[in-house]
Amino acid sequence: MVMAKAPVPGRVKTRLVPPYTYEQAAALAEAALADTLQAALASAADEVVVALDGEPGDWLPPGCRVFPQRGDRFDHRLASAWADAGGAGVQIGMDAPQVRAADLDAALAALVDHDAALGLADDGGWWAIGLRVPDDRVFVGVPMSRPDTGARQLAQLRRLGLTVADLPTLRDVDEAADALAVAAIVPGSRFALAVAACHE
């Protein structure tokens, strides 16, 4: 499952502005989303679902099931998305376009021996979470978009008595320095090409 926001200028990746314009930030978001969905579709997952804030566009590849995000707070949106998706799986966002199918396969495989899996991000958040059984209690009440979100999410999983597999730590794209660093990791990707275009 990919939690995504439609790449509309002024509504997505606004922390990249400045130095980028709103249009450039949206272009980077669209490229990141395209790379993320490509990795998801190439993984061993039985299905790829997109919990979307906004309207689908031609950036959406075939083969994805799409449903709208529900809820005001992000913790509620996460809980609702898992309920709508149904069943075991791995959820990612659109902030780590360096993710590859092999990373997602490893996260799925971790659920064979664990109740949950969590991949922390360099900024203190998390980039991936896997669950054998969706449970609102995993998310509701966990503060999001904070430097301690990842640590609090891990504590919540353990508080619920779940065994948790550690996934690799990745860098989220939140600010311009992140965009440049991640683009360097995946040269030739849509995201790297979009970053390069912003600097021409």
Side-chain angles (χ1 to χ4, degrees), residues 9 12-13 16-17 19-30 194-195 197-200:
V12 66
K13 287 292 164 204
L16 294 174
V17 182
Y20 300 117
T21 65
Y22 288 115
E23 289 73 18
Q24 288 174 325
L28 293 181
E30 182 172 335
V195 170
C198 291
H199 291 270
E200 290 178 350

Side-chain angles (χ1 to χ4, degrees), residues 2 67 81 90 96 105 110 112 121-122 124-125 136 139 141 143 152 154 167 190 194:
V2 179
F67 53 81
V90 171
D105 289 343
V112 173
D122 282 347
D136 288 359
F139 302 106
R152 285 174 174 261
L154 179 58
L167 303 177
R190 292 182 183 86

